[in-house]
Each structure stands twice: as C-alpha cells, then as structure tokens.
Amino acid sequence: MAVLGPLDSGFMELEDTDRHVSVGIGAIAIVAGSPPPREELEVELAQRLSVDGRLHQKVHRTPWGLAAPTWVIDPNFDLAHHLRWLALPAPAGEDALCDLVAEVMEERLDRDHPLWQCIVVEHLADDRWAMIVKVHHSMVDGVSGITLFERFCDDQAERPDNAAPKVADPPIDWRGLLMKSLRLPVDVPRFAAQTLRAAVPFALSAVLPAAGSSLNGSIGRQRRYTVARASLPAVREIGAAFGTTVNDVVLAAVAAAFRTVLLKRGEEPTADKLRILTPVSVRAADAKGALDNRVSAMLPLLPIESADPVEQLAMVHRRMVEHKASGEASAANSFLALARWLPFASIAWTVRLASRYPQRGISGLATNVPGPRRRLHLYGQEVLEILAYAPIAMRVRISIAILSYGDQLRFGVTGDYDSTPDLHLLAERIEETIDQLLQRARDTVPS
C-alpha cells in the first residue's frame, strides 16, 4: 500500500470539512471533429489506463483517521464508473460548455472508487467535441495532472516507453524505520525550529487579515467558469520588452482584472487588498509523471492600486523577485517536510481546524502550469485547445488556472456562483490588459 503524503491527504481533509467544497482539478480538451463510437472509445481508454497503476486504486482510510490514508487496488474496478457521455443542446457554444464544466467540476468524486473521471461532450459548435479529465487533488497537482492527460493522448499511448510503471509497494525498510524512530526526539525539535524560523513570515501572511473585500468570504456549492485567451509568443514578447518573466506578465494581467472587478463593485482597490496564493512546483524533472502533489507556494500582494498596466508589471516583477529571494516558497515547503515527521492525526486535525477558521488573508489563487509544447491528438483528432480548472476553498471565491499549449495561453477562471456573477469581466480584462501591454511593448521598440 502507498501512503498519501501530507499535502495529498490534506486535500481529503479539506473536502471532508466543508460540504461546499469539491477539490477536483480538471483539464478540458477541445477536439476537432467527432469522438469515436462509445464502444471503441471505451476499449481504447481501458488500454490507456496502463500508464499508471494509480488509476486503478482508491483511497483507504483508517477508523477515526488515526493513520494516513493509503492507496489500495480497487478489486471491483469498472470503467463505467469513470466514463460519462454527455451532449449539449444546440448551438452548444462556449458559454454552454463553460456552464457544463462548472456543473461537472462542482460534483464530488465518489470515494468508493478511484478518484478520476473522463467526461466526453459531443456535438460542440463548429464541428468539435470535448473531453473533460477530472481528478481529485489528492491524486495530482497541476504538473502531474497535465502529464496524465498527455498520457491519455494518442501520441503518448502509442509509445510504451513513455508509460509510467505500475504503482508497486516498495519493500519495507525496517532498519531505516527503526533508526528514524530513535532519532525523532532529536531531529524533530531541531528541524521544527529551523522550519519555524523560515516559515513564520509566510504563516503570518496567510493568517493575518488583509483589507476586507468582496473577493473573500463564504462560498456556496455551485460554481461559475469562464475562459480568457492569449498568445504565448505575445506574452513572451511583452516579457522581453520590459525585462520580466512570462509569469510576471500573467500576474500583472490578473492584477489589472481584479482591479477592474473591484472598481465595478464600488470598492477601492487599495494596495493591501489582494494577497494571492501562487503555487510553486518543487517537482524534479524525473518525477514529472508521478501522481501526487509536489508544490510549495508564495503569497504576493498584487498591485491593484495602480491603473497603469506597465507600472503594474514592473511592480509584480519586483515583488516576485523579493518573494523568491526571501525563500518564501522554501519556507512553505518546509512546513510539508516537517509534517512528514508528525503523527497523521495531528495533521488531519490541524487541516480541519484551519478550514473552519474564517481566513481573510488570501483573496485569490493563480496557478501557472506549463503544458504540452507540441500538438496533441485524441482518438485520431487534433486537440485544438486545452483549458484548466482549479477549485476554490477556504473563503477564496476566485481561482485562475493558467495553462500553456503550443503557442496558446489559456486562463481558466473558476468562481463561486453566488458571489461572482461578474466573472466574465475578469476574463475580458485579462485579455484587454495583455493586448495593451503588447502594444506598449511594441511602442518601446525603436522603429
């Protein structure tokens, strides 16, 4: 049996504590043409499940949560539990698809079975169809999730060398466990002291309340979902012109969009109002396909007080450089490393307590995941676009999942249904800001 890590199991506890939360993450592939017949797709999908043994495993939990959950083989695995087939009424445009994505993703996955689904959506407008790959966050993070999607595609499925080995239980290192246990009284206090010294500033940023706004508050069960689109070469051109990174440009566009939303809501976009959670991958290159969570985080304040997108970009760049130099991501990762030394019950109770705490320090989430660089095909058809979905929880009402695919950059924007009726405005402003930055970048180039 493979044991869930602290972050993996933390997502389970988060979902258990709040009945309004579903922590599934998703990749939505928009595909040319029509899907194959259902029987043919089922046969193909069944063969492609060999890419990772985790796809046949479900979560086993101990009574009262005294020990960490484990992954165990589902002896009654049935593909029918994991494949759904849907169609939208005509004209089946993007708004209808986004509504369907929100509806599908707000539903919790069934813990009695492996925690993933593939949803086929037929008859989209303009001779297209879609496949929504939905996976519980305890099983994947953004990087491993998009890698899993790639393995479902024709290009990967045709090459056995690219398939991950089936999950196997490693032999138990009894001697190592004994030595580790003997050193716990010495190692844990020392490591805890080192971790706390590095992590206190990060923890205070997460816990101390920011200025109040409508971006933070209780959430319901229903979701909204919308999409913003940009050109990745254009974003790179902006970064090159102003000496910033692609991620800086992305966050500057997000800052401008949140500023617009707050102004439209009649709220003042002050400098202390928008602290955002930005996950940072700590996954090694050789672990790209491992199905688990390997992320840390930073908590920058986005410069929504500025109305000028170029100034916002410069401010984002300076702040991200400072956050990286401070070791903030390493501090957050140290928390997770420390958690591996602690009894699971204490971790579970901490997560439950934290999820009940009415946090007011974080007002949004933006995660930037590098996607496939080459064009993919799914069941013989070209994948035209890939959109990403990130869940919301803990009083954060809006999340933005940014995913690249070839020359495309897509922003999948998730919102709480009741408190974000203006979610489309956020997406529109992201696109407008990138267009404005591109024009300003080209204006700076000598003719």
Side-chain angles (χ1 to χ4, degrees), residues 214-388:
S214 59
L215 300 174
N216 182 289
S218 59
I219 61 176
R221 186 183 296 272
Q222 288 183 280
R223 301 289 175 261
R224 296 180 188 269
Y225 182 77
T226 190
V227 179
R229 292 175 170 82
S231 159
L232 184 56
V235 171
R236 287 176 175 151
E237 183 179 342
I238 295 166
F242 294 110
T244 67
T245 67
V246 166
N247 195 58
D248 294 335
V249 178
V250 164
L251 290 179
V254 168
F258 273 114
R259 173 184 169 85
T260 298
V261 167
L262 288 172
L263 287 171
K264 289 288 186 180
R265 293 179 181 180
E267 301 177 45
E268 185 66 23
T270 54
D272 58 350
K273 191 161 284 188
L274 181 59
R275 188 177 297 280
I276 196 163
L277 176 66
T278 58
V280 177
S281 178
V282 293
R283 184 177 297 273
D286 59 357
K288 183 179 179 182
L291 299 192
D292 57 9
N293 284 269
R294 304 192 188 192
V295 294
S296 185
M298 292 189 290
L299 292 169
L301 278 165
L302 292 191
I304 57 174
E305 67 273 21
S306 173
D308 178 46
V310 174
E311 183 181 33
Q312 284 181 314
L313 176 57
M315 294 170 72
V316 165
H317 177 68
R318 286 196 302 271
R319 292 179 187 184
M320 295 306 291
V321 168
E322 290 169 0
H323 277 274
K324 292 171 185 175
S326 72
E328 185 176 23
S330 298
N333 198 43
S334 295
F335 269 131
L336 298 176
L338 176 61
R340 296 182 185 277
W341 293 81
L342 301 175
F344 172 74
S346 65
I347 300 170
W349 297 335
T350 300
V351 173
R352 292 170 196 165
L353 179 63
S355 28
R356 293 185 183 279
Y357 172 72
Q359 74 85 18
R360 296 181 178 87
I362 304 170
S363 300
L365 177 145
T367 178
N368 189 1
V369 178
R373 295 183 179 180
R374 59 189 180 81
R375 304 301 288 180
L376 300 176
H377 293 80
L378 198 57
Y379 303 101
Q381 306 287 352
E382 183 183 6
V383 177
L384 304 174
E385 287 187 281
I386 310 174
L387 315 175

Side-chain angles (χ1 to χ4, degrees), residues 49-207:
L49 296 185
S50 64
V51 297
D52 201 295
R54 183 74 77 236
L55 297 169
H56 286 86
Q57 295 180 323
K58 62 181 182 178
V59 173
H60 172 72
R61 308 192 70 173
T62 59
W64 303 294
L66 296 178
T70 55
W71 295 107
V72 298
I73 294 292
D74 180 3
N76 302 310
F77 180 85
D78 184 347
L79 184 59
H81 288 305
H82 305 277
L83 180 61
R84 296 169 61 183
W85 207 276
L86 304 174
L88 291 168
E94 179 160 307
D95 289 346
L97 177 62
C98 286
D99 289 345
L100 179 64
V101 169
E103 184 178 339
V104 163
M105 296 303 299
E106 72 195 21
E107 299 171 0
R108 293 186 174 189
L109 288 158
D110 187 348
R111 302 271 185 89
D112 291 334
H113 306 287
L115 297 175
W116 63 272
Q117 281 186 342
C118 284
I119 301 98
V120 175
V121 185
E122 292 187 281
H123 307 308
L124 292 185
D126 303 320
D127 189 28
R128 300 171 302 158
W129 62 285
M131 176 176 278
I132 305 170
V133 180
K134 173 182 177 182
V135 188
H136 199 280
H137 213 332
S138 63
M139 186 171 161
V140 296
D141 57 20
V143 172
S144 58
I146 198 63
T147 302
L148 176 61
F149 170 76
E150 286 186 76
R151 289 174 175 169
F152 280 162
C153 291
D154 303 348
D155 318 66
Q156 295 292 317
E158 291 170 357
R159 295 186 220 156
D161 290 344
N162 285 343
K166 287 182 176 291
V167 175
D169 297 333
I172 299 176
D173 180 9
W174 293 108
R175 183 175 181 276
L177 287 174
L178 176 61
M179 295 302 295
K180 182 177 178 180
S181 299
L182 292 175
R183 291 195 58 82
L184 283 178
V186 175
D187 288 343
V188 170
R190 184 181 65 214
F191 186 52
Q194 294 171 348
T195 298
L196 290 175
R197 280 197 299 271
V200 163
F202 176 88
L204 289 175
S205 296
V207 173

